[in-house]
Amino acid sequence: MQFKSLKIRILLWFGSLAFVVLSLFAFSFNYFLNQSIDNNIKSKLQLLAHKRDKKIPNVEVLTLHNGTIEDSTALFSLKNYKKYLNQKENFFIITHTGDDDYIDALYIDEQGVKTTLILRKNIDNRIENFQDVLLFLIPILLLAFIFLASKMIDKILLPINKLINATKDISITKFTQEIELPKDEDEIKELVLSFNAMIKRLQNGVERLDRFNTDVSHELKTPLTVIQGEIEIALRKLRTPQKYEQSLKTIQKQSKQIELIVKQLLLLTKYSKENIKESFEKCSVDTLLMQVIDKFQLQFQEKNLKLHIEKIEPINMQANPILIESIFVNLIDNAIKYTSKNRNIYISLYQDSKIYFSIKDEGIGISKEHLSKITERFYRADSSRNKKIEGFGLGLSIVKNSVLMHDGNLEIESDKENGTTVKVVF
């Protein structure tokens, strides 16, 4: 039979162990008590054998010489004494038939050809009654222990039962349930703390998933609408090959936008504080930066922007290379997009007590009312969200998230029409 209840299993284990311990105690106590009584009686009979005093009540003495009775008390009542002679033992307990309250004790003292038998009659043996009481107490004590153990287990399992009830109330839409912390600093409190931390992680995970779904549906709506419109126009009537080519180019452009949006959103939701450390490896930060700069050479040339590399030091750190690269990509991309032609962009990477990366542009800048919000997802400083400057408002959100994943700080300083300086500190 299998018992599903943890409490019942513990009680069965405890009850079995308690029964074994109590039984061993009763057996040991009975054994050592009898040994003590027997040794005490034996010692007294030994003393009597040396004194050879025949006038002690309930004591009978028989003296043999070469097996023949030499002397005895008036009545030596043990008729079958010969069966105790020539045995290894010299002390015997003789029970009374039909009467357990009294026993006799026989001690044999051999000295050469002379043998003395000392018989102590009617020794009180009512200690057996105590032994019977002890045996009767074992089941009572066992039940008492089990009852106390049950109460203790109920107290111990109370937080676990609360934990069970809390898990039953948890659903995808309900993550607010937390267990009240026990007062005692023990394993149960650690379990409750771990459970509450797990609830928060699940809540954050579900919130990220909900936010991802909301963001995707929000940002994909526009390109999907454009694609659907182009297809409907193309199918409405026959058109020239040039018109079909134009529609396909529009669809291709919107498809690439969808791909980029999904890629950026996945980058935002892929990593968390709990799993980011697993992806860390030794990164050459300066090498990553130079590789990203090389990728933007064409954009620099198209706008005739002059890049000033003020300082780039060789720096290695334990980090996620994908996120570090995304920081450089988004910040350089923003600097290029929001800086007018024939202007300057300044970049530096160096290490002091910490690692510093900064990028300064001479672009359009950000007004103070927008500065605190620009790292929010899909937020763009132009309220109309026009498409003159391409983007989805995800770049700085990705940067901020990536910096925080590395326990860094993101600092942004900007004035309208006076450019922007972004500093990342690790």
Side-chain angles (χ1 to χ4, degrees), residues 12-30:
L12 284 174
W13 295 336
F14 176 79
S16 301
L17 181 62
F19 175 76
V20 171
V21 170
L22 287 173
S23 298
L24 288 174
F25 170 77
F27 174 79
S28 301
F29 182 81
N30 181 58

Side-chain angles (χ1 to χ4, degrees), residues 19 62 346:
F19 175 76
L62 176 65
Y346 304 86

Side-chain angles (χ1 to χ4, degrees), residues 5-182:
S5 170
L6 177 62
K7 177 181 177 181
I8 292 177
R9 293 204 302 270
I10 293 175
L11 286 177
L12 284 174
W13 295 336
F14 176 79
S16 301
L17 181 62
F19 175 76
V20 171
V21 170
L22 287 173
S23 298
L24 288 174
F25 170 77
F27 174 79
S28 301
F29 182 81
N30 181 58
Y31 174 78
F32 288 112
L33 181 62
N34 285 329
Q35 287 291 316
S36 176
I37 293 173
D38 291 350
N39 289 333
N40 185 42
I41 295 172
K42 182 179 179 181
S43 298
K44 290 182 178 180
L45 293 181
Q46 283 178 330
L47 184 62
L48 291 174
H50 293 119
K51 286 184 176 182
R52 307 201 182 267
D53 189 350
K54 301 177 182 178
K55 297 181 180 180
I56 301 175
N58 295 324
V59 174
E60 300 176 1
V61 181
L62 176 65
T63 304
L64 301 176
H65 187 274
N66 287 328
T68 304
I69 298 175
E70 179 181 88
D71 189 16
S72 69
T73 54
L75 178 63
F76 191 79
S77 58
L78 185 62
K79 304 302 181 183
N80 59 343
Y81 65 87
K82 291 183 179 181
K83 73 175 185 178
Y84 297 103
L85 299 174
N86 299 322
Q87 294 193 26
K88 293 181 179 180
E89 300 289 335
N90 64 350
F91 179 74
F92 305 92
I93 296 294
I94 304 169
T95 58
H96 291 190
T97 303
D99 186 4
D100 293 334
D101 290 343
Y102 295 94
I103 59 173
D104 297 341
L106 174 65
Y107 176 72
I108 301 175
D109 181 35
E110 295 183 358
Q111 294 183 359
V113 295
K114 184 177 287 188
T115 302
T116 303
L117 288 75
I118 310 295
L119 179 66
R120 178 72 181 266
K121 299 282 292 182
N122 298 326
I123 300 172
D124 192 342
N125 191 42
R126 279 174 288 190
I127 188 67
E128 294 288 341
N129 296 335
F130 175 75
Q131 295 168 349
D132 294 339
V133 171
L134 187 61
L135 292 175
F136 175 74
L137 283 176
I138 288 178
I140 296 178
L141 289 173
L142 183 61
L143 291 175
F145 287 160
I146 292 176
F147 175 77
L148 293 175
S150 176
K151 294 298 182 182
M152 291 177 64
I153 292 171
D154 286 339
K155 185 176 180 180
I156 293 172
L157 293 180
L158 182 61
I160 298 179
N161 290 330
K162 289 182 179 179
L163 195 65
I164 294 172
N165 293 330
T167 56
K168 292 178 180 178
D169 292 335
I170 293 173
S171 64
I172 290 295
T173 57
K174 186 179 179 183
F175 277 103
T176 57
Q177 182 72 27
E178 287 192 2
I179 306 299
E180 182 181 352
L181 290 178

